[in-house]
């Protein structure tokens, strides 16, 4: 049967299998307790030195406390603190005697929400790792602080849980602490209790200080200055001592006043500056039992914890589902702007839309006469801003019609009607009405930052057969193909500013629909098409559409006819 293991790499090239190491491994193998992470074994192969432990599925206590999505009630927190006490009581009665590395990230949580302490024991196996500052205090007292070039080999953050008497020796890495002391573990437990209250890392309220400064102030290796808020601890002789400790706000304690008072008293007792004044874990377990008495059987409590977790999980799932729905709607909206809704739906269903032939659609082309001169006179940013303003107006107009915006290329704006959803012969009327609405809207409208100007739109319409399909897998586009597109482009490029030029095929459909006003332009030579009869669309019966005055149009000499 396969078993998943957690391995912790030890930064050593190799390990000598001596009597000391054998004794440490035997110590670890003999430890079996529900609140201690089970030691599986160790690997001493070159470049693969590691410790193997059982896996705890919920991660660490630090992970859970920092996850705002988990609603952690006080009964839940007290249960975890009691687990830590039970684990430490057992550990202190073994030959190992103390932990030395007790902190929230070493309190693992299994799938039953039981705390299991990890990273204890194996002192010599873990010592002397690469990349750790060498620590050799003279006469057993550390007085030299790390030099600047040694800071990368220190880990002061992990020492925020370390007792002041140990910090006072000048340690700069947990490897220097070894097994620590029983009183030192009690101090570490006090810091974990603070974390349970604040759900923040220790000393978060003085984040302007680095971990190195905090540890050295706690160990009285440097002066705290006058700005830090210190608390008073009583030593064994009842003398007051000013100390730096984490802050616990009143609203971070339990709501029940008696519980809050008893918990804070326990924290202050456990983090006392004088190690002799700190209690044993047996006392802490007893006090936690008074603060939050054990109610019901173990299984009842477990079921209650699981129900709390399930409720919290359901809330998280509901929130995440709502977020996903919102993001999906945003994605759908964006997709609908890039592709026709019918085509977008097919793509979302995983289908590959096939090219489709449409016997009769109407195409609209427009551009801005004189745009080249505008580009030469304006900065690129101004050109982009100008086009964005113009296209925003045009986008708003076409929303009112059964039309689909095909693409924009520079100042060229392309629209189609009659696809992908067929609408009989109404496509010509939809495009014609849209073109008239656009002309009406831009009447008297100038370019931004160009006082006295007039937007010089010229439009071309053509009706005929089209083949349409989705092209490309990355940023797919709904593209139109056929001679109808070329002719519509020729209608636009062969027209005049502030006029709507259309082919005979469009004129014929509009006449059958009725209600549209037009003037025959006569026969003219169209590039690539030969001679064609074309028309000007001038209005619609019983409507307020109007074509801007020819006096506002740019002169014919400035047109670029194609």
């Amino acid at each position: 049967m396969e078993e998943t293991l957690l391995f912790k790499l030890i930064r050593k090239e190799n390990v000598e299998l001596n009597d000391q190491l054998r004794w440490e491994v035997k110590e670890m193998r003999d430890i079996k307790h529900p609140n201690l992470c089970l030691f599986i074994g160790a690997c001493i192969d070159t470049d693969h030195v590691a410790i193997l432990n059982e896996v705890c599925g919920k991660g660490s206590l630090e992970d859970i406390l920092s996850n705002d999505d988990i609603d952690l009630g006080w009964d839940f927190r007290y249960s975890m603190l009691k687990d830590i006490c039970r684990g430490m009581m057992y550990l202190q009665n073994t030959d190992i005697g103390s932990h030395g590395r007790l902190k929230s990230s070493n309190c693992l949580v299994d799938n039953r929400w039981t705390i299991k302490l990890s990273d204890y024991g194996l002192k010599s196996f873990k010592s002397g790792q690469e990349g750790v500052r060498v620590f050799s205090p003279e006469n057993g007292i550390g007085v030299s602080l790390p030099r600047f070039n040694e800071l990368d080999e220190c880990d002061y953050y992990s020492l925020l849980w370390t007792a002041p008497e140990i910090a006072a020796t000048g340690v700069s890495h947990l490897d220097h602490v070894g097994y620590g002391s029983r009183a030192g573990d009690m101090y570490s437990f006090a810091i974990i209790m603070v974390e349970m209250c604040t759900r923040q890392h220790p000393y978060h309220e003085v984040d302007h200080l680095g971990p190195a400064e905090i540890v050295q102030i706690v160990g009285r290796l440097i002066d705290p200055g006058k700005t830090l808020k210190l608390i008073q601890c009583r030593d064994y002789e009842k003398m007051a001592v000013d100390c730096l400790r984490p802050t616990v706000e009143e609203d971070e304690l339990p709501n029940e006043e008696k519980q809050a008072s008893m918990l804070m008293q326990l924290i202050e007792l456990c983090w006392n500056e004088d190690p002799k004044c700190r209690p044993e874990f047996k006392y802490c377990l007893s006090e936690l039992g008074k603060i939050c008495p054990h109610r019901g059987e173990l299984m009842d409590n477990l079921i209650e914890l699981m129900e709390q977790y399930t409720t919290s999980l359901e809330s998280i799932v509901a929130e995440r589902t709502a977020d996903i729905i919102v993001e999906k709607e945003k994605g759908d909206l964006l997709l609908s702007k890039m592709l026709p809704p019918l085509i977008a739906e097919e793509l979302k269903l995983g289908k590959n839309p096939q090219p489709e032939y449409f016997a009769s659609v109407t195409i609209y082309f427009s551009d801005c006469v004189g745009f080249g001169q505008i580009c030469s006179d304006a900065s690129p940013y101004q050109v982009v801003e100008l086009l964005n303003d113009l296209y925003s107006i045009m986008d708003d107009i076409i929303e009112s019609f059964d039309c689909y915006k095909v693409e924009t290329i520079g100042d060229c704006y392309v629209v189609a009607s009659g696809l992908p959803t067929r609408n009989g012969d109404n496509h010509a009327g939809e495009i014609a009405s849209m073109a008239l609405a656009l002309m009406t809207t831009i009447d008297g409208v100038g370019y931004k930052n160009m006082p006295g100007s007039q937007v010089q739109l010229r439009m071309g319409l053509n009706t005929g057969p089209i083949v349409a399909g989705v092209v490309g897998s990355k940023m797919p586009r709904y593209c139109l193909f056929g001679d109808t597109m070329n002719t519509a482009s020729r209608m636009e490029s062969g027209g005049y500013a502030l006029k709507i030029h259309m082919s005979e095929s469009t004129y014929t459909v509009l006449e059958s629909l009725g209600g549209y006003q037009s003037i025959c332009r006569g026969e003219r030579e169209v590039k690539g098409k030969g001679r064609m009869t074309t028309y000007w669309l001038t209005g619609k019966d019983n409507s307020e559409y109007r074509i801007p005055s020819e006096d506002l149009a740019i002169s014919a000499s400035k047109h670029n006819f194609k």
Side-chain angles (χ1 to χ4, degrees):
M1 180 179 177
E2 293 184 358
E3 185 178 356
T4 303
L5 301 177
L6 177 69
F7 68 94
K8 177 181 180 179
L9 287 174
I10 304 298
R11 296 186 300 278
K12 288 183 175 182
E13 287 188 6
N14 52 68
V15 174
E16 181 185 352
L17 188 59
N18 53 30
D19 290 342
Q20 174 66 23
L21 181 56
R22 287 191 176 92
W23 182 80
E24 288 184 355
V25 170
K26 182 181 182 303
E27 279 183 325
M28 296 293 289
R29 293 298 299 271
D30 289 342
I31 292 176
K32 289 181 176 60
H33 188 271
N35 297 119
L36 293 176
C37 195
L38 184 64
F39 171 76
I40 305 298
C43 178
I44 58 174
D45 289 347
T46 302
D47 296 329
H48 296 92
V49 180
I51 299 171
L52 306 178
N53 289 319
E54 66 172 315
V55 172
C56 294
K58 301 297 182 188
S60 71
L61 178 59
E62 182 181 49
D63 299 331
I64 290 171
L65 292 175
S66 63
N67 188 347
D68 293 333
D69 290 333
I70 298 178
D71 184 12
L72 207 59
W74 272 105
D75 285 350
F76 216 156
R77 301 187 210 189
Y78 287 133
S79 177
M80 289 179 163
L81 290 174
K82 290 175 184 178
D83 283 346
I84 295 173
C85 289
R86 294 186 188 99
M88 286 304 304
M89 286 167 60
Y90 181 89
L91 185 65
Q92 290 183 346
N93 285 323
T94 66
D95 290 335
I96 294 176
S98 56
H99 194 298
R101 295 167 176 258
L102 185 59
K103 54 177 182 167
S104 54
S105 61
N106 284 336
C107 298
L108 305 185
V109 184
D110 69 8
N111 289 325
R112 295 182 178 181
W113 291 94
T114 300
I115 292 284
K116 291 178 176 282
L117 304 181
S118 67
D119 207 19
Y120 55 88
L122 298 174
K123 178 171 67 175
S124 67
F125 189 72
K126 297 172 185 173
S127 64
Q129 294 189 60
E130 296 175 2
V132 177
R133 172 181 171 246
V134 176
F135 178 64
S136 301
E138 297 180 5
N139 302 321
I141 301 175
V143 291
S144 62
L145 298 179
R147 294 185 294 272
F148 180 77
N149 62 347
E150 294 178 315
L151 290 177
D152 287 342
E153 299 176 337
C154 301
D155 180 15
Y156 277 105
Y157 179 80
S158 294
L159 294 174
L160 293 177
W161 290 260
T162 303
E165 66 273 13
I166 298 175
T169 64
V171 295
S172 57
H173 197 284
L174 271 181
D175 284 3
H176 303 158
V177 177
Y179 287 168
S181 66
R182 294 165 70 99
D185 288 342
M186 182 52 61
Y187 177 91
S188 301
F189 181 62
I191 304 301
I192 292 174
M193 285 194 283
V194 171
E195 287 183 275
M196 282 289 196
C197 296
T198 64
R199 299 193 68 166
Q200 302 264 10
H201 64 79
Y203 301 99
H204 67 277
E205 68 280 359
V206 288
D207 268 348
H208 61 284
L209 298 178
E213 292 176 277
I214 293 172
V215 171
Q216 289 164 12
I217 291 172
V218 169
R220 299 183 177 279
L221 297 174
I222 61 175
D223 186 80
K226 298 180 179 180
T227 58
L228 286 180
K229 180 182 177 182
L230 304 179
I231 67 165
Q232 281 195 343
C233 292
R234 299 284 173 178
D235 64 13
Y236 196 69
E237 298 178 349
K238 306 299 182 183
M239 297 292 291
V241 183
D242 289 332
C243 312
L244 176 63
R245 295 291 186 269
T247 300
V248 181
E249 300 295 342
E250 188 174 339
D251 61 353
E252 294 170 335
L253 290 165
N255 293 328
E256 191 176 323
E257 186 176 347
K258 184 179 179 181
Q259 280 194 7
S261 174
M262 292 178 68
L263 180 61
M264 198 64 224
Q265 288 175 17
L266 182 61
I267 291 172
E268 291 171 351
L269 186 62
C270 293
W271 72 21
N272 203 297
E273 186 76 8
D274 191 335
K276 297 176 185 177
C277 294
R278 297 174 201 150
E280 294 287 337
F281 278 99
K282 184 177 180 180
Y283 174 84
C284 292
L285 182 61
S286 173
E287 288 300 297
L288 288 169
K290 294 175 185 177
I291 297 171
C292 181
H294 179 75
R295 295 191 297 270
E297 297 299 324
L298 178 62
M299 187 56 67
D300 293 337
N301 282 343
L302 180 60
I303 291 172
E304 184 181 349
L305 294 180
M306 292 304 295
E307 286 175 349
Q308 291 179 13
Y309 175 66
T310 301
T311 302
S312 174
L313 190 60
E314 287 174 352
S315 175
I316 294 168
V317 170
E319 289 177 9
R320 294 291 183 268
T321 302
D323 291 341
I324 290 171
I325 291 172
V326 170
E327 292 304 317
K328 181 179 180 298
E329 288 174 350
K330 289 180 181 178
D332 290 347
L333 180 61
L334 180 60
L335 189 61
S336 68
K337 291 180 179 179
M338 297 174 61
L339 297 168
L342 185 65
I343 302 300
E345 285 300 321
E346 288 191 34
L347 287 175
K348 285 192 290 182
L349 293 172
K351 298 179 181 178
N352 183 21
Q354 296 300 308
E356 189 173 0
Y357 174 79
F358 296 87
S360 182
V361 299
T362 299
I363 306 297
Y364 163 100
F365 269 75
S366 69
D367 73 348
C368 297
V369 178
F371 184 71
Q373 185 61 46
I374 293 173
C375 291
S376 63
D377 294 341
S379 70
Y381 291 105
Q382 289 175 322
V383 172
V384 171
E385 189 177 16
L386 179 152
L387 285 177
N388 185 58
D389 290 342
L390 177 59
Y391 287 165
S392 295
I393 294 172
M394 299 174 75
D395 290 345
D396 288 342
I397 294 296
I398 69 171
E399 285 292 326
S400 304
F401 301 92
D402 182 15
C403 300
Y404 168 65
K405 177 182 174 182
V406 180
E407 62 181 343
T408 56
I409 305 172
D411 65 325
C412 181
Y413 195 92
V414 185
V415 180
S417 181
L419 56 78
T421 303
R422 293 171 173 81
N423 56 5
D425 286 338
N426 291 333
H427 49 80
E430 293 291 329
I431 289 290
S433 296
M434 181 204 73
L436 290 167
L438 285 172
M439 279 297 185
T440 303
T441 302
I442 66 163
D443 187 9
V445 175
Y447 297 115
K448 190 173 182 179
N449 300 322
M450 297 177 65
S453 63
Q454 165 66 50
V455 174
Q456 300 288 325
L457 273 187
R458 65 175 172 182
M459 305 177 182
L461 316 182
N462 182 45
T463 300
I466 282 289
V467 172
V470 177
V471 176
S473 56
K474 188 174 183 179
M475 291 187 68
R477 302 298 300 171
Y478 188 65
C479 298
L480 311 185
F481 303 93
D483 193 55
T484 301
M485 293 288 287
N486 298 329
T487 304
S489 176
R490 296 303 178 200
M491 291 298 102
E492 171 259 308
S493 60
Y496 289 103
L498 304 183
K499 283 184 175 292
I500 304 171
H501 192 208
M502 60 182 179
S503 66
E504 189 170 18
S505 60
T506 303
Y507 167 79
T508 301
V509 178
L510 289 179
E511 282 294 296
S512 67
L513 292 174
Y516 290 91
Q517 303 161 8
S518 59
I519 299 174
C520 181
R521 187 182 182 186
E523 278 197 356
R524 58 182 301 272
E525 188 69 27
V526 177
K527 183 179 179 181
K529 303 296 174 186
R531 298 194 66 79
M532 293 181 64
T533 301
T534 61
Y535 298 80
W536 299 116
L537 178 63
T538 59
K540 184 179 180 182
D541 296 343
N542 303 317
S543 73
E544 297 181 355
Y545 296 142
R546 65 184 183 279
I547 300 294
S549 170
E550 292 186 7
D551 295 337
L552 297 174
I554 196 170
S555 67
S557 62
K558 296 183 179 180
H559 283 58
N560 181 22
F561 296 109
K562 297 178 184 178

